[in-house]
Amino acid sequence: MPNPILDGSVFEALQREIDVNALTVELIKTEVAKLDDVLRNCTALLSRVHSTAPSQLSRIIAEYYDSGYAQKLTDALSGLNNIIEGKPVYKYKPIWTSSLQQVIYVILYVHFLSRVSDKTCTASEFAELLATPKDVSLTLKVKCTMTNQAIQYTGSHTDDQESKVVYDLNDLDGLWFGTEEYLHAIISLINELSRLSVNLVTTISTTNALNKDQSDTVKENFTLPVMINTFIKSLQSGFMMLNLKNDSLRRRFDSIKYDVKKTEDVVYDLAVRGLL
């Protein structure tokens, strides 16, 4: 009786699949590493907000754009998209999900900071403090699953001449973000703003103390910490409308109440001291 021999070509094909998969993972990790490097530089710049008076926040935002970070984020995401396009996205998605959430958070944070100052917002201005999924999609030139319409985006932030590109948001091939990434980014924004609220009080008090003898210097006020408190509570109300399951998003949502408490304590302390 002859010895049974399995067809080795089956395992050869499996090995080729393993090699292709390993190469794809390495290529994706390389692009994600480039993205993370840009993110570190962005967050390092934005961390200076915590020691900047409200009237000077526009300088930080201007430096963010002048340094080309907005374009660098877009370019890094484009490089990642080129690698994963045409491949099974859900198979590799965990590799870049955390970094993509952080990118969306940066966009939300910059969007917020560019629209606040030491002055009180009107109702319409307040409603625009949170960048919508469509705003994020346009800024990053990344597809978003939260709209089913084809949209257009222009070139860089400072381009005078528009370079319009249209894509179908129903086409999920390549890089895209969805509800979970966007909500995680909002929670990260809430975490950061609650910390900023506390640091703003110290920065404003120090700035006013240093400039008290200079008659030509405008005194900083405490409008922004109050605005942050109102903004965070509005976001918390929005999250309460969602039926979140018992996962990481739900656990992070549960932590929002501590951020709200922190900003409420700041506002209470300012009111008690007669600084509002």
Side-chain angles (χ1 to χ4, degrees):
M1 180 178 179
N3 293 329
I5 300 176
L6 292 176
D7 185 0
S9 62
V10 174
F11 291 94
E12 291 175 359
L14 290 174
Q15 183 59 52
R16 286 195 296 270
E17 178 67 21
I18 292 172
D19 292 340
V20 169
N21 180 69
L23 177 60
T24 302
V25 169
E26 288 304 315
L27 291 174
I28 292 174
K29 287 183 176 180
T30 298
E31 294 301 322
V32 171
K34 294 177 183 178
L35 177 60
D36 289 341
D37 186 53
V38 178
L39 276 172
R40 281 191 292 271
N41 291 327
C42 289
T43 53
L45 171 62
L46 294 175
S47 67
R48 289 164 46 191
V49 168
H50 291 272
S51 58
T52 303
S55 61
Q56 303 300 315
L57 289 179
S58 58
R59 295 185 179 182
I60 303 293
I61 301 303
E63 186 173 346
Y64 168 83
Y65 287 112
D66 292 344
S67 299
Y69 288 132
Q71 187 61 43
K72 289 176 182 178
L73 285 174
T74 302
D75 292 343
L77 290 173
S78 177
L80 177 59
N81 180 71
N82 292 337
I83 297 297
I84 65 177
E85 203 164 23
K87 295 179 175 62
V89 175
Y90 279 106
K91 183 177 181 179
Y92 305 106
K93 194 169 182 284
I95 301 176
W96 68 75
T97 295
S98 178
S99 297
L100 183 56
Q101 290 173 5
Q102 186 70 6
V103 172
I104 298 172
Y105 151 72
V106 168
I107 299 304
L108 295 181
Y109 195 25
V110 170
H111 182 94
F112 177 87
L113 294 175
S114 64
R115 284 161 175 76
V116 297
S117 63
D118 56 350
K119 299 178 182 179
T120 304
C121 283
T122 63
S124 60
E125 290 172 338
F126 186 84
E128 296 176 355
L129 291 179
L130 178 66
T132 65
K134 183 176 179 179
D135 292 331
V136 176
S137 178
L138 289 171
T139 301
L140 296 177
K141 303 177 184 177
V142 172
K143 299 170 187 175
C144 169
T145 63
M146 285 169 278
T147 176
N148 58 5
Q149 298 177 348
I151 59 177
Q152 300 182 135
Y153 60 73
T154 60
S156 66
H157 179 76
T158 56
D159 281 348
D160 294 327
Q161 184 177 4
E162 293 186 347
S163 175
K164 295 185 177 179
V165 179
V166 181
Y167 56 80
D168 186 358
L169 293 172
N170 288 317
D171 179 11
L172 294 184
D173 183 34
L175 187 64
W176 52 269
F177 71 92
T179 304
E180 186 170 340
E181 289 85 3
Y182 182 70
L183 291 177
H184 271 293
I186 291 179
I187 296 175
S188 296
L189 176 66
I190 293 173
N191 298 155
E192 186 69 9
L193 290 180
S194 67
R195 175 173 168 253
L196 177 61
S197 177
V198 175
N199 290 333
L200 275 172
V201 175
T202 303
T203 301
I204 293 171
S205 300
T206 303
T207 302
N208 288 339
L210 293 174
N211 296 333
K212 65 179 181 179
D213 297 328
Q214 301 180 22
S215 58
D216 59 338
T217 303
V218 178
K219 186 177 181 180
E220 300 282 348
N221 61 58
F222 294 91
T223 301
L224 186 51
V226 177
M227 189 186 306
I228 288 175
N229 175 54
T230 304
F231 180 64
I232 287 180
K233 289 196 289 188
S234 297
L235 293 177
Q236 183 190 37
S237 298
F239 268 94
M240 288 179 175
M241 298 171 61
L242 304 176
N243 182 22
L244 300 176
K245 305 302 180 182
N246 188 24
D247 56 8
S248 61
L249 189 58
R250 173 71 195 192
R251 290 192 293 273
R252 292 196 69 198
F253 161 69
D254 290 338
S255 70
I256 292 177
K257 59 179 177 286
Y258 301 110
D259 295 306
V260 172
K261 178 67 165 54
K262 185 185 294 185
T263 59
E264 286 177 339
D265 288 344
V266 169
V267 174
Y268 173 78
D269 189 60
L270 291 173
V272 169
R273 295 173 184 272
L275 297 174
L276 297 181

